[in-house]
C-alpha cells in the first residue's frame, strides 16, 4: 500500500522538464518586463534630468546678475566715500585749486556712472528673477506630472509582471497536491534563480 501511495504521489509531481520550462519562462518574463519597464521609465527620467539642468542653469544666471548688481553697489559705496572725502577736504581748506576741482568733478562723474550701471543691473536682475520664477513654476508642474506618470507606468508593468509570474508558479503549485496540506513556496536564497525571476530590478 505504501508503495502504491508513493507511486501515485510521484506521478502527480511535475516532471523535471516541466520545472525547467517554468524557470525558463520566468527568466524570459523577467527579461521582457525589465526591458518594458526600462522603455517606459528611462526616457521620462532623462527628460526630468534635462529639466532640472535647465532649472539649475537659470538659477546660475540669476545668481550672476545678483553678483553684478552687488558689485556695482559696492562701487557706489566706495565712490561715494571718495566724493565725501573730497568734499570734506574742500570744506576744511576753502582755497580751491584747479586740481582739486578736477578731482571732485571726476569723482562725481565716476559715482554717477556707477549709479547708472547699478540701475541697469537692477533692471536686468528683476527681469531675470521674474523669468526664473515663471520658469520654476512651469518646470515644477512638468516634473510633478512626469513623476506621477512614471509611477503609474511602473505600477502597471509590475502588475503585469506579477500576474505572469503567478501564472508560471501556479503551473508547479497546482501539481503534486497529494494527500495532506500543500507546502508553501519560499524564495530561494541559495541559487538566486527564484529571486532573480521574482524581483524586477529597476
Amino acid at each position: 500500500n505504501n508503495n502504491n501511495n508513493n507511486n501515485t504521489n510521484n506521478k502527480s509531481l511535475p516532471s523535471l522538464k516541466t520545472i525547467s520550462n517554468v524557470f525558463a519562462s520566468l527568466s524570459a518574463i523577467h527579461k521582457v518586463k525589465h526591458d518594458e519597464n526600462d522603455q517606459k521609465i528611462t526616457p521620462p527620467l532623462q527628460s526630468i534630468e534635462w529639466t532640472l539642468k535647465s532649472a539649475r542653469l537659470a538659477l546660475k544666471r540669476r545668481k550672476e546678475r545678483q553678483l553684478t548688481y552687488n558689485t556695482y553697489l559696492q562701487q557706489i559705496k566706495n565712490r561715494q566715500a571718495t566724493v565725501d572725502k573730497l568734499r570734506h577736504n574742500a570744506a576744511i581748506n576753502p582755497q580751491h585749486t584747479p586740481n582739486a576741482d578736477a578731482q571732485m568733478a571726476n569723482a562725481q562723474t565716476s559715482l554717477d556712472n556707477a549709479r547708472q550701471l547699478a540701475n541697469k543691473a537692477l533692471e536686468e536682475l528683476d527681469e531675470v528673477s521674474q523669468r526664473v520664477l515663471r520658469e520654476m513654476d512651469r518646470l515644477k508642474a512638468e516634473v510633478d506630472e512626469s513623476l506621477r506618470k512614471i509611477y503609474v507606468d511602473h505600477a502597471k508593468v509590475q502588475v503585469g509582471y506579477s500576474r505572469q509570474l503567478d501564472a508560471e508558479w501556479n503551473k508547479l503549485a497546482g501539481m503534486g497536491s497529494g494527500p495532506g496540506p500543500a507546502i508553501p513556496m519560499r524564495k530561494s536564497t541559495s541559487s538566486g534563480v527564484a529571486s532573480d525571476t521574482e524581483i524586477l530590478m529597476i
Side-chain angles (χ1 to χ4, degrees):
N1 292 334
N2 291 334
N3 291 333
N4 291 334
N5 290 334
N6 290 335
N7 291 333
T8 302
N9 290 337
N10 289 335
K11 290 180 180 179
S12 64
L13 291 173
S15 65
L16 291 178
K17 181 178 180 181
T18 299
I19 294 174
S20 177
N21 290 338
V22 167
F23 276 97
S25 296
L26 290 172
S27 179
I29 291 170
H30 172 74
K31 177 65 168 61
V32 170
K33 288 301 180 180
H34 180 278
D35 293 344
E36 179 184 352
N37 190 81
D38 186 63
Q39 292 174 0
K40 290 185 177 181
I41 301 303
T42 300
L45 283 179
Q46 290 177 341
S47 178
I48 289 177
E49 182 179 355
W50 281 108
T51 298
L52 295 179
K53 286 183 179 180
S54 299
R56 287 193 291 267
L57 180 60
L59 292 174
K60 180 181 178 181
R61 289 173 178 171
R62 182 187 180 280
K63 186 176 181 180
E64 291 173 351
R65 297 295 189 278
Q66 180 71 58
L67 180 61
T68 300
Y69 177 61
N70 290 340
T71 299
Y72 287 131
L73 289 181
Q74 186 61 42
Q75 286 185 358
I76 291 174
K77 182 179 180 180
N78 295 339
R79 293 175 185 183
Q80 182 65 61
T82 299
V83 171
D84 292 342
K85 181 178 180 180
L86 291 174
R87 287 176 178 173
H88 176 73
N89 292 338
I92 62 177
N93 185 14
Q95 295 181 352
H96 295 286
T97 62
N99 186 38
D101 291 339
Q103 286 182 342
M104 176 62 72
N106 289 336
Q108 186 62 52
T109 299
S110 180
L111 175 60
D112 293 340
N113 289 338
R115 286 173 174 168
Q116 291 177 2
L117 292 173
N119 289 335
K120 182 179 179 182
L122 179 58
E123 291 177 358
E124 293 179 352
L125 175 60
D126 289 340
E127 180 181 352
V128 171
S129 297
Q130 292 177 9
R131 185 166 64 248
V132 167
L133 289 176
R134 290 193 300 268
E135 284 296 300
M136 289 302 105
D137 290 340
R138 182 182 64 82
L139 295 178
K140 181 180 178 181
E142 287 183 1
V143 170
D144 179 77
E145 182 179 357
S146 296
L147 284 176
R148 287 185 288 142
K149 187 176 185 301
I150 286 173
Y151 280 113
V152 170
D153 290 341
H154 177 66
K156 290 179 178 179
V157 173
Q158 294 298 318
V159 169
Y161 180 59
S162 297
R163 288 175 177 171
Q164 292 186 26
L165 288 184
D166 288 342
E168 292 302 318
W169 285 122
N170 283 331
K171 291 179 182 179
L172 298 183
M175 302 178 69
S177 56
I183 299 175
M185 300 186 65
R186 295 178 296 178
K187 291 182 180 179
S188 171
T189 56
S190 58
S191 65
V193 175
S195 59
D196 287 342
T197 55
E198 289 178 326
I199 300 174
L200 179 59
M201 301 300 293
I202 303 305

